[in-house]
Amino acid sequence: MGKILCYIYENMADFEITLLLHRLRRTGQRDITFISEDTSPVRSESGLTYLPDAKITDIQDPTCYEALIIPGGPINPEQNSICETAAQMITAGRLVAAICFAPQFLGRAGILDHYQYTTSCSPEKIKQLGVYDPFPRQNFVATRCVTDRNLITAQGYAFVDFAISVCDYLHVFENDTQRYEQLERVKER
């Protein structure tokens, strides 16, 4: 069974990753470890409370995991604890997947200097917030979801595309028929 890290933090947009996590656990039989700055409860944007399994610093070797998933959330220039883990995983060839505003962490880690990416966070939003822009805009691609080598990024509204791209990258579905059947079940609900 493969192992996945998922970074959770205050006001994260949990809806952006729930479909993905469901598919990784049920279809992909992946073990998911939820990490955060500490092990205190984390309240999401939707109001649900999550309990991290471990602190980021408890993960001695993140490259033992096959992927790191990061949900979107508010722009917070002070929040950089996940950056080193993301950089270690990218360098080791592991998958890093970030949606909506989450590529901010990858920008601060220097990862986006070398990868094409997308984000829901516009230059206008950064200007409105009055914070440093962590996104190297020359590598930005205005599309729903971008896969560039071992990095997957997506716009926040493209959470289904994001889930499919990550599952495809990790070979969660045994074949196209299983992939189609799983996605049809999502549409039926």
Side-chain angles (χ1 to χ4, degrees), residues 109-123:
I111 295 167
L112 300 183
D113 293 338
H114 310 285
Y115 286 81
Q116 289 190 332
Y117 72 95
T118 195
T119 180
S120 297
C121 190
S122 67

Side-chain angles (χ1 to χ4, degrees), residues 24-66:
L24 289 173
R25 277 188 190 268
R26 292 209 56 216
T27 308
Q29 300 296 302
R30 298 311 201 278
D31 180 34
I32 300 170
T33 300
F34 295 91
I35 56 174
S36 194
E37 284 74 22
D38 57 47
T39 55
S40 301
V42 172
R43 191 163 184 91
S44 71
E45 184 181 82
S46 69
L48 291 173
T49 301
Y50 294 84
L51 293 174
D53 297 311
K55 295 186 292 188
I56 295 168
T57 55
D58 291 339
I59 306 302
Q60 298 296 319
D61 183 5
T63 64
C64 291
Y65 294 81
E66 63 181 314

